[in-house]
Amino acid sequence: MYLDAYQRPLPGGAALGFGPVHQGILAYLDNGQQVILNTSLKHGRPVVSLLEEFNGVRPRLVRPMPKTWEDSIRIQQNAWNLVQAGAPWTIFNNCQDFVSMSYDGKPGSETRKLVAAGATLAVFLGLL
């Protein structure tokens, strides 16, 4: 179970990062079990992952915690809707987009922005 600094379970809707780039949304099943809702290249689509899938990887918060119960519910519901929609993983629909869509309703991937900026810089430097 993922806990905060006071050993309390993290709220649903918390955006967690696993490793250098993978991200997902913490959610709860009806029985209180924590799961991670995420899109991954490994699965090829949005999935519900058990915590065991991330054993050995210490999660980190990648967005501020939901401030209210309503925010927590909204973020989780958006993430569940994305899982049900089942859109396939692509570089334009990756785990970071999944988290952004769950929080803001808009796609966004910091990794993709960095890669694009690096490619632009490489092209620019190649032209000099």
Side-chain angles (χ1 to χ4, degrees):
M1 178 168 279
Y2 295 128
L3 307 171
D4 68 12
Y6 301 102
Q7 300 305 303
R8 298 174 300 199
L10 288 175
L16 300 177
F18 303 92
V21 296
H22 190 65
Q23 298 178 6
I25 299 292
L26 180 67
Y28 287 87
L29 300 178
D30 289 340
N31 66 3
Q33 179 182 5
Q34 288 182 338
V35 293
I36 303 296
L37 308 178
N38 65 108
T39 296
S40 72
L41 178 59
K42 174 182 173 183
H43 296 289
R45 60 183 170 72
V47 295
V48 178
S49 297
L50 300 177
L51 301 188
E52 291 78 20
E53 188 170 326
F54 302 100
N55 276 348
V57 180
R58 183 182 169 129
R60 67 191 187 294
L61 286 173
V62 294
R63 296 265 182 134
M65 290 273 211
K67 292 186 184 349
T68 65
W69 176 253
E70 290 80 11
D71 281 345
S72 173
I73 297 300
R74 177 186 54 79
I75 293 164
Q76 288 180 82
Q77 187 58 57
N78 289 344
W80 281 111
N81 291 344
L82 292 169
V83 169
Q84 289 177 341
W89 183 96
T90 69
I91 60 169
F92 298 104
N93 184 37
N94 61 43
C95 62
Q96 294 172 2
D97 291 305
F98 183 91
V99 168
S100 292
M101 290 290 292
S102 297
Y103 266 72
D104 308 325
K106 298 180 245 175
S109 171
E110 291 302 315
T111 301
R112 187 174 53 244
K113 286 178 190 174
L114 287 172
V115 168
T120 302
L121 181 60
V123 168
F124 177 73
L125 292 174
L127 296 175
L128 294 179

